[in-house]
Amino acid sequence: MSKYEYLFSPMKLGPIALKNRIVCAAHGNQVADPVTFMVTERAKAYYRERAAGGSAAIVLVSSSVDERADYYPANNFALWSDDIIPGLKELADICHEYDCKFFIQPSHPGVHQGCHVLVDEVPFAPSQVPAIETPNQVPMALTKEGIVEIQDKFVSGVQRAVEAGVDGIELMCGHDKLTSAFFSPLANKRTDEYGGSLENRFRFMGEILDKVSAKIGPDFPIGLRMNVMELEPGGLSLEEGIRLAKMFEATGKIDWLGCVMSTYRSIPFELSPFSANLEPGWGGEFTRQVKAELKLPVSVSSKINDPGLADRMIAEGKCDYVYIARALIADPHFPRKAQEGREDDITPCIYCNQGCVARSFDRSTTNGTRCTVNPTSGEETRWGSWNFKRAQRKKILVVGGGPAGLQCALTAAKRGHDVALYDGEEELGGQARYIKMIPGHIMPQTFLDYLELQVKKHGVSLNLGQKIEAGNVDRILEAENPEAIVLATGSRPAADGLNGLTAYPIPGCDRSNVHTYLDFLRDEPKLGERVLIVDELADRVSPGIAEMLGEQGKKVHVITRWPMLSPNLMIWLDAPFTFGKLDAFGVQVTPFTWVKEITDSGATLININSQREYDIDVDSVILATMKYSNIEVASLFQDKGMPLHVIGDARAPRFMWNATHDGQKIGSEL
């Protein structure tokens, strides 16, 4: 019996019996065919893994019922076409193999549809209010005829899902989609019977529910995924959201309510990155108020990454069941491991949003979502748990204990290899372990801690503080007698300031007041009061260091050649949290700017567009430019007569998810 009394107790959503209280929430994953929007082998493998992992139900990614309304840049399924039915039936059958229910989430993107792709179409909305991300793409306000047309398309989409054998329908009216836009005072400026009062704003979705229920019958399970608040000034309040929920409950036509608390304007809260410092389960305090007013089962999804937390939230009346997305991307077997008491084996989501959220907004990633901590995510067709094969035991030497080396060592050890790992540092983690120095950036360390625990559990021999070099390489090779060597020696910051803009070092980088970002995080050099940060990496490092220095009262100036500091923070959803702190500390940020030279008194800067030069006075300089691979050690293994594999930053400096993917790939092939 599980120690989680509530989480693993059965429950019902209307007539549907769930084996536990964990539902894999609908989430963007780019597993549909990018051209036809049909079910692919990748999609079947992706959802099979999550069904096999023990979730009680899976909700398919929110998908459009309207062929004119593509979800660009997301890549979802074509509920507008009869051709989708066989594929949906296959997905339903896969889920049922594992006693997992399968739900469909019919939706309409509304103002977020991609008219720049479907150039013959326009986005639809309650009123002519553009999306926050495309202010130059003003929608067409729906006519009453258009309202009826789209409502009928919802009915047709639902009919296709029912024909495919799904267990339930979860109508999407959250996250600023067309249906929830009618609820919102920000998006709905209508003066007819579909705007104004809350009762009028309810009407569009209420009529869809009436039509759907009339078509499929009162006994087929229907739920709502609904905005109960919008977390933005002037948006839908929690009080209004509760009133809406009660209005839907009063229809007698819905069986459950999945709570949503954001639109695209406030999506950084709902999909909060680790830098947001929002406590896991933060939304429970809001859904507790919703649940107190309803008899329907209520769910919450707000960074739930721990089975104990989920159990407590149910026990405390914050929800009846939990929706989990990112934590099930990180570990599809989260439910099964928790139920078996194997919490230490759950791969922890670090909420970096790099392989999941960012790639769900990029249709060029036609091979699906990825995950920093779970390289098998999106790769289930080749690395799914059903494909796991033990290897003929070999001795493997892994050189380097960063994310790439640890992932490779773990994968190889799981397959039955005898693995020895060497690292010159006394602590595992490589450069990644210094990220925890930045305020609000402790979560990546949880993944490093997990990897260290797992390699020890699987018998990897750890040899720390032993740097392999010319004087000891032969002795180590003789002692270990490896049959294959993996170099995961990482990278180092370019202390000379070499960068992608000029392809040359920065003159003056050899001065004693110039430091790399790693020097600062690792060695804490003494800095002057005026600090210049030179950023090219466009990641979390420079803003994080600027925040640290701002907290110390330093006068900080960050320059970047990009149009804004760290543009990746927009798609990783860190921007409002990170840049808000920098503004509070008075950090100066200058885009489109680079360093021509570091001088005796400071630096000569140059605007990369106009070529205007000017001098500034600074005391210290921190560089965050490119990285060099630490590949020199490879020469020590030449002519040793054994396979040599290079992975991670040693292969080429990239993101952490590239490093773990490299480690998984080579660990699976050895």
Side-chain angles (χ1 to χ4, degrees):
M1 180 176 177
S2 170
K3 65 182 178 182
Y4 303 112
E5 177 184 355
Y6 298 92
L7 188 60
F8 289 101
S9 62
M11 70 168 293
K12 281 194 169 185
L13 297 181
I16 302 173
L18 300 184
K19 62 186 177 185
N20 61 50
R21 309 294 182 95
I22 299 173
V23 173
C24 179
H27 59 277
N29 47 36
Q30 303 285 40
V31 295
D33 186 284
V35 177
T36 66
F37 306 99
M38 294 295 137
V39 175
T40 61
E41 291 303 314
R42 186 180 295 276
K44 287 182 274 188
Y46 184 85
Y47 286 111
R48 178 182 292 278
E49 193 71 81
R50 279 134 194 93
S55 292
I58 286 173
V59 185
L60 190 71
V61 58
S62 179
S63 296
S64 179
V65 298
D66 189 347
E67 72 280 2
R68 303 166 300 175
D70 185 0
Y71 261 111
Y72 194 91
N75 174 18
N76 301 332
F77 296 94
L79 286 184
W80 61 76
S81 171
D82 289 345
D83 293 341
I84 196 67
I85 295 172
L88 293 182
K89 187 177 188 311
E90 287 185 85
L91 290 178
D93 290 344
I94 287 169
C95 289
H96 295 158
E97 288 179 34
Y98 300 94
D99 189 23
C100 176
K101 305 303 182 184
F102 183 59
F103 299 158
I104 297 290
Q105 196 176 81
S107 183
H108 191 295
V111 71
H112 301 291
Q113 80 179 73
C115 69
H116 54 298
V117 177
L118 299 176
V119 293
D120 290 336
E121 300 298 342
V122 298
F124 304 114
S127 307
Q128 283 203 305
V129 178
I132 188 172
E133 75 275 16
T134 52
N136 59 335
Q137 180 178 292
V138 179
M140 183 185 81
L142 275 171
T143 64
K144 292 182 181 179
E145 293 78 13
I147 284 175
V148 172
E149 182 181 8
I150 287 176
Q151 290 175 336
D152 290 343
K153 287 179 181 290
F154 267 91
V155 174
S156 297
V158 168
Q159 282 183 284
R160 293 183 183 100
V162 172
E163 187 176 341
V166 305
D167 298 292
I169 300 297
E170 183 173 83
L171 294 168
M172 175 50 134
C173 44
H175 293 314
D176 214 19
K177 302 299 191 290
L178 179 62
T179 45
S180 65
F182 272 85
F183 300 156
S184 174
L186 294 172
N188 187 345
K189 311 293 185 181
R190 300 176 74 99
T191 58
D192 63 5
E193 66 267 36
Y194 291 96
S197 69
L198 193 64
E199 287 73 19
N200 282 356
R201 287 183 273 144
F202 165 87
R203 192 181 309 277
F204 177 69
M205 188 63 216
E207 290 176 348
I208 289 176
L209 182 59
D210 288 343
K211 291 182 177 183
V212 166
S213 180
K215 194 67 176 181
I216 63 177
D219 298 327
F220 196 87
I222 301 176
L224 294 183
R225 184 79 165 137
M226 191 191 91
N227 264 103
V228 295
M229 61 189 301
E230 291 187 331
L231 288 175
E232 53 186 313
L236 188 76
S237 68
L238 181 60
E239 292 73 21
E240 286 185 308
I242 291 173
R243 283 177 57 198
L244 281 171
K246 293 173 75 172
M247 290 162 69
F248 278 114
E249 183 178 56
T251 68
K253 294 171 182 173
I254 65 169
D255 298 297
W256 68 88
L257 180 72
C259 295
V260 173
M261 290 168 281
S262 71
T263 70
Y264 275 46
R265 292 180 177 86
S266 53
I267 200 70
F269 288 95
E270 190 88 12
L271 296 176
S272 54
F274 58 73
S275 63
N277 283 333
L278 289 174
E279 289 294 324
W282 62 270
E285 293 305 319
F286 301 110
T287 54
R288 184 207 301 271
Q289 298 176 59
V290 177
K291 177 173 164 51
E293 297 288 336
L294 300 179
K295 296 179 181 178
L296 292 171
V298 170
S299 75
V300 63
S301 60
S302 53
K303 206 174 176 181
I304 298 170
N305 62 352
D306 174 74
L309 168 66
D311 194 67
R312 290 192 301 275
M313 292 180 73
I314 298 169
E316 294 168 1
K318 295 178 178 179
C319 58
D320 296 286
Y321 64 106
V322 292
Y323 268 33
I324 299 179
R326 286 177 291 176
L328 287 172
I329 296 173
D331 195 334
H333 296 263
F334 174 112
R336 180 173 56 81
K337 292 176 181 178
Q339 190 166 21
E340 293 172 357
R342 297 168 48 214
E343 292 87 352
D344 287 346
D345 292 336
I346 297 174
T347 310
C349 176
I350 61 173
Y351 298 97
C352 65
N353 287 349
Q354 290 179 216
C356 54
V357 173
R359 288 173 67 90
S360 73
F361 292 146
D362 182 359
R363 187 173 288 178
S364 67
T365 60
T366 53
N367 57 355
T369 193
R370 288 295 183 274
C371 179
T372 294
V373 301
N374 177 15
T376 70
S377 192
E379 294 278 13
E380 290 83 5
T381 53
R382 60 172 170 169
W383 293 332
S385 57
W386 55 89
N387 290 330
F388 179 81
K389 296 181 178 64
R390 293 191 65 83
Q392 184 175 351
R393 188 177 181 86
K394 290 184 288 193
K395 183 62 180 284
I396 310 298
L397 173 63
V398 177
V399 184
L406 286 168
Q407 184 66 57
C408 183
L410 176 58
T411 303
K414 283 182 174 180
R415 296 182 61 233
H417 290 308
D418 181 6
V419 183
L421 185 149
Y422 281 72
D423 194 283
E425 301 290 332
E426 296 290 345
E427 183 181 353
L428 291 168
Q431 285 192 49
R433 71 181 185 271
Y434 295 106
I435 296 298
K436 65 178 178 285
M437 306 287 292
I438 298 173
H441 285 54
I442 192 63
M443 290 202 78
Q445 183 63 41
T446 65
F447 176 50
L448 299 179
D449 293 342
Y450 161 82
L451 286 175
E452 180 172 0
L453 174 65
Q454 291 298 311
V455 294
K456 288 177 178 177
K457 281 184 71 170
H458 287 85
V460 174
S461 170
L462 296 178
N463 303 273
L464 303 182
Q466 297 194 49
K467 182 179 180 181
I468 296 181
E469 49 197 1
N472 64 10
V473 63
D474 289 332
R475 175 179 57 79
I476 289 173
L477 288 177
E478 182 178 357
E480 299 293 351
N481 193 26
E483 296 168 73
I485 299 172
V486 179
L487 291 188
T489 44
S491 63
R492 62 190 183 277
D496 58 5
L498 187 70
N499 59 89
L501 178 67
T502 69
Y504 283 98
I506 296 173
C509 278
D510 54 349
R511 296 178 182 275
S512 61
N513 66 332
V514 180
H515 313 277
T516 69
Y517 67 86
L518 190 57
D519 294 334
F520 174 79
L521 294 174
R522 180 182 57 199
D523 303 325
E524 300 183 13
K526 186 175 181 179
L527 303 178
E529 291 304 304
R530 300 169 300 177
V531 182
L532 174 68
I533 301 175
V534 181
D535 177 74
E536 183 187 37
L537 295 181
D539 60 12
R540 293 179 167 108
V541 170
S542 291
I545 291 175
E547 180 185 345
M548 295 172 71
L549 294 173
E551 285 183 332
Q552 296 172 18
K554 304 287 188 184
K555 185 177 180 181
V556 184
H557 185 182
V558 188
I559 65 167
T560 178
R561 68 181 178 93
W562 301 104
M564 63 174 288
L565 175 61
S566 298
N568 279 317
L569 298 195
M570 294 295 292
I571 58 173
W572 298 342
L573 305 182
D574 298 76
F577 311 105
T578 299
F579 297 147
K581 294 174 186 175
L582 298 191
D583 181 69
F585 289 127
V587 173
Q588 179 183 353
V589 178
T590 307
F592 294 121
T593 300
W594 201 242
V595 181
K596 183 176 181 181
E597 182 181 7
I598 299 172
T599 64
D600 290 335
S601 60
T604 299
L605 305 185
I606 183 169
N607 182 287
I608 66 171
N609 298 315
S610 68
Q611 301 301 302
R612 176 177 60 89
E613 297 181 15
Y614 57 99
D615 295 326
I616 63 169
D617 295 330
V618 296
D619 302 311
S620 303
V621 179
I622 295 176
L623 302 176
T625 62
M626 63 157 277
K627 306 172 188 178
Y628 290 109
S629 293
N630 294 326
I631 199 63
E632 295 79 7
V633 71
S635 63
L636 301 178
F637 298 104
Q638 301 297 329
D639 304 321
K640 298 296 184 181
M642 63 194 74
L644 179 65
H645 306 275
V646 183
I647 64 173
D649 276 10
R651 180 183 175 212
R654 293 154 293 154
F655 291 120
M656 193 195 301
W657 68 267
N658 300 110
T660 54
H661 189 276
D662 278 5
Q664 174 73 26
K665 181 177 185 294
I666 296 303
S668 299
E669 294 174 355
L670 288 170

